[in-house]
């Protein structure tokens, strides 16, 4: 486990127990976790507490996934407003508890489905927040590897909160690129991904499928898929089976619906590029200057995005 950053944080982590919280309704269930809305009895602040049954995790061989999520969330601290923050972790004999930022407005996917698709303004706004979140992840040397609209939540003010870091990779050095020496980790993750990706294979990058390798550019591929889905309500790569979806991804076989905004189209086309190093932003340093400079973001001030537009 990565050591806590400060003494205060260390004390905070030590002193919390389940009795420090009033557990409320279940707000979600994962395949090996239940997420509760909970209130800190001292501060009255609301949190989402993810509860994991130890026996279930061991039985399902998910220990590595759980430890990875915790390790990555510890690295990410609380500096980025667009990432779910892990406030503390504790355990009792049977369970593990992760105290997380409460994303009151649920998953991005739910809202895309509700409105069928987002208008230009909303698509652009949330694309900007995603770019800022990806810049932050990159600065922390984290590749998420499972970005999709189910893993992007909305907080009480409808700002995004990226979650689910169980498949994430921690890059070992600044020089790491697609040909780096972290293939073992990628292979393990890729195997896990194949087993657990039913229904959402649509967001896997071609290099992860073909070579079991990932890099920051794999998240840029996923960004292209997510922007496509926000703007159209559909995923770019769909098929009757994972195999058929994978074939389409590897052949870059997707089609923009009629009337698709030309600026968004160009942005997506520059992200959905088979060769990861040629994706827009792949050669950028920590700031994705080439993404920020794209005409899709003309008139956007990345230093002050302002409040989110009303969803529609
Ligand atoms: P699986 O493990 O099967 O892939 P998952 O990753 O969605 O599922 P969890 O992360 O445990 O599993 O989340 C379960 C549900 O709880 C999801 O529907 C998610 O939207 C919701 N949820 C998770 N974290 C939060 C949070 N911080 N705030 C609000 N809802 C959350």
């Amino acid at each position: 486990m990565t050591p806590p950053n400060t003494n205060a944080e260390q004390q905070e982590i030590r002193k919390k127990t389940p009795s420090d919280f009033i557990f409320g309704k279940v707000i979600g269930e994962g395949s090996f976790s239940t997420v509760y809305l909970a209130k800190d009895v001292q501060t009255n602040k609301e949190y989402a507490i993810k509860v994991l049954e130890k026996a279930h995790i061991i039985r399902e061989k998910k220990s590595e996934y759980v430890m990875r999520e915790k390790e990555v969330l510890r690295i990410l601290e609380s500096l980025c407003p667009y990432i779910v923050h892990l406030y503390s972790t504790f355990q009792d004999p049977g369970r593990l508890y992760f105290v997380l930022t409460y994303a009151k407005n649920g998953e991005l996917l739910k809202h895309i489905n509700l409105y069928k698709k987002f208008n230009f303004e909303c698509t652009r706004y949330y694309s900007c927040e995603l770019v800022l979140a990806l810049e932050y992840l990159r600065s922390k040397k984290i590749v998420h590897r499972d970005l999709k609209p189910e893993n992007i939540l909305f907080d009480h003010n409808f700002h995004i909160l990226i979650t689910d870091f169980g498949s994430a990779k921690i890059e070992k050095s600044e020089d790491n690129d697609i040909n780096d020496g972290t293939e073992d980790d990628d292979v393990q993750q890729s195997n896990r991904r194949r087993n657990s990706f039913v229904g959402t294979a649509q967001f896997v990058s071609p290099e992860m499928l073909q070579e079991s390798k990932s890099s920051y550019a794999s998240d840029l591929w996923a960004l292209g898929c997510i922007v496509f889905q926000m703007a159209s309500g559909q995923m770019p790569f769909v098929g009757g089976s994972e195999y058929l979806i994978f074939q389409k991804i590897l052949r870059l076989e997707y089609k923009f619906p009629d009337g698709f905004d030309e600026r968004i189209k160009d942005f997506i086309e520059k992200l959905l590029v088979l060769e990861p190093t040629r994706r827009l932003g792949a050669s950028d340093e920590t700031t994705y200057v080439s993404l920020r400079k794209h005409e899709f973001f003309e008139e956007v001030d990345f230093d002050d995005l302002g409040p989110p537009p009303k969803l529609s």
Side-chain angles (χ1 to χ4, degrees), residues 27-35 48 50 65 69 84 100-104 106-107 148 150-151 153 163-164:
I27 47 179
E29 300 216 50
S31 18
F32 46 98
S33 57
T34 305
V35 182
K50 187 161 164 170
Y65 178 95
E69 177 157 46
V84 159
L100 301 160
T101 322
Y102 173 41
K104 193 173 184 173
E107 297 173 5
K148 53 185 176 179
E150 293 98 313
N151 287 340
L153 307 177
T163 188
D164 199 354

